[in-house]
Amino acid sequence: MASSKNININLKVWRQKNAKTQGAMETYSLADVSTDSSFLEMLDQLNEQLIGEKKEPVAFDHDCREGICGMCSLFINGQAHGPEMGVTTCQLHMRKFKDGDTIYVEPFRSKAFPVIKDLMVDRSSFDRIQQAGGFVSVNTSGNTQDANNIPVPKHDADRAFEAAACIGCGACVATCKNGSAMLFVGAKVSQYALLPQGKIEAATRVQNMVRQMDEEGFGNCTNTGACEIECPKGISLENIARMNREYLKATLE
């Protein structure tokens, strides 16, 4: 691991008041950035500098800062979550950049992800897709069967677990030239379709989630695979294929 040091960087940050106003890049210089700091900590440092200069800080999303919530949605130098593969923005560290580098920071861009302010976008369209069918109905009257009583083949359990690793960050949408959400929806459909508990509602689930995805304005998949490459959790394209099979099967029933 490279030893810690401080670097000076130039930032080109997208500033936009809201979805109805036109945004633009603004340039900032930031000195003495520790290479041990995370990208979000660097933005915290920028905001402290802006507040000290009586300027408005940059709005950006963050929550757990442990790589598991999916909130830190940033496009950095043209890549979702930045130049390091398999990590979220909060897990990206400044050691990935060099002294004097210019870093472009933009929000995730999609018709279905309108800008709230600066680097923050509204991803509630994902919530509505999930609410359309991304769940298993369970009778919680007090006689609920223990899920561990239902045998699940190891292969199916592993595939369902891998699909459930999707954190819904939206990097797949932001990276796709069509703004497609099929990797996200495919992962959610697969997560339940592979398990016995989810098979009962499988047909209505995939039809409802796909319908909601279309209504939200997401584009279609054209199998370029950019979503899989930029996904910080390594969600496989095979989930899109499984979703298509589940959808075809549901329409033929």
Side-chain angles (χ1 to χ4, degrees):
M1 181 181 293
S3 59
S4 175
K5 61 180 181 179
N6 288 353
I7 59 175
N8 301 325
I9 57 172
N10 300 304
L11 289 168
K12 302 279 189 181
V13 181
W14 185 260
R15 304 300 306 264
Q16 187 171 348
K17 188 174 181 180
N18 54 51
K20 296 180 180 178
T21 59
Q22 187 171 2
M25 285 287 189
E26 292 194 7
T27 303
Y28 306 100
S29 295
L30 200 56
D32 294 327
V33 177
S34 170
T35 53
D36 284 341
S37 61
S38 72
F39 199 86
L40 296 187
E41 288 170 336
M42 180 276 294
L43 290 178
D44 290 337
Q45 183 177 340
L46 170 65
N47 279 344
E48 289 175 2
Q49 176 176 302
L50 293 175
I51 292 170
E53 296 170 351
K54 308 297 182 187
K55 297 178 180 176
E56 189 170 7
V58 176
F60 64 95
D61 263 327
H62 60 96
D63 191 8
C64 74
R65 298 200 179 201
E66 294 180 347
I68 56 176
C69 77
M71 286 296 289
C72 51
S73 54
L74 295 179
F75 225 62
I76 303 166
N77 284 347
Q79 287 184 276
H81 295 295
E84 189 168 9
M85 295 292 101
V87 301
T88 53
T89 297
C90 65
Q91 299 296 296
L92 174 67
H93 284 79
M94 295 307 296
R95 66 179 69 98
K96 284 291 177 180
F97 302 94
K98 298 176 183 176
D99 186 44
D101 270 358
T102 297
I103 305 171
Y104 288 80
V105 191
E106 301 171 77
F108 279 3
R109 298 187 185 281
S110 168
K111 176 185 177 183
F113 290 166
V115 172
I116 297 174
K117 185 177 182 179
D118 297 336
L119 304 175
M120 297 177 63
V121 299
D122 181 358
R123 286 171 289 173
S124 59
S125 51
F126 270 14
D127 296 335
R128 291 187 288 274
I129 292 172
Q130 190 75 4
Q131 290 161 2
F135 51 83
V136 174
S137 298
V138 176
N139 183 349
T140 56
S141 62
N143 296 318
T144 306
Q145 184 180 13
D146 189 327
N148 291 328
N149 288 336
I150 304 173
V152 180
K154 180 68 164 56
H155 179 270
D156 290 346
D158 288 346
R159 299 291 85 75
F161 184 84
E162 290 167 3
C166 172
I167 56 176
C169 66
C172 51
V173 175
T175 299
C176 177
K177 63 181 181 180
N178 304 319
S180 171
M182 292 184 76
L183 191 66
F184 165 75
V185 179
K188 298 305 176 186
V189 167
S190 295
Q191 175 184 342
Y192 297 107
L194 286 162
L195 298 177
Q197 298 91 335
K199 290 186 183 300
I200 300 170
E201 298 167 293
T204 54
R205 175 183 304 111
V206 68
Q207 289 177 312
N208 291 341
M209 294 184 78
V210 168
R211 185 192 68 248
Q212 189 66 39
M213 174 179 67
D214 292 340
E215 288 179 2
E216 296 292 347
F218 291 105
N220 289 318
C221 173
T222 48
N223 296 313
T224 54
C227 55
E228 182 183 66
I229 293 172
E230 297 295 347
C231 174
K233 297 300 177 183
I235 302 299
S236 170
L237 284 174
E238 71 178 31
N239 291 293
I240 296 178
R242 184 177 297 106
M243 179 188 71
N244 287 334
R245 292 196 298 273
E246 290 288 327
Y247 187 81
L248 177 61
K249 186 169 65 176
T251 57
L252 296 175
E253 288 182 350

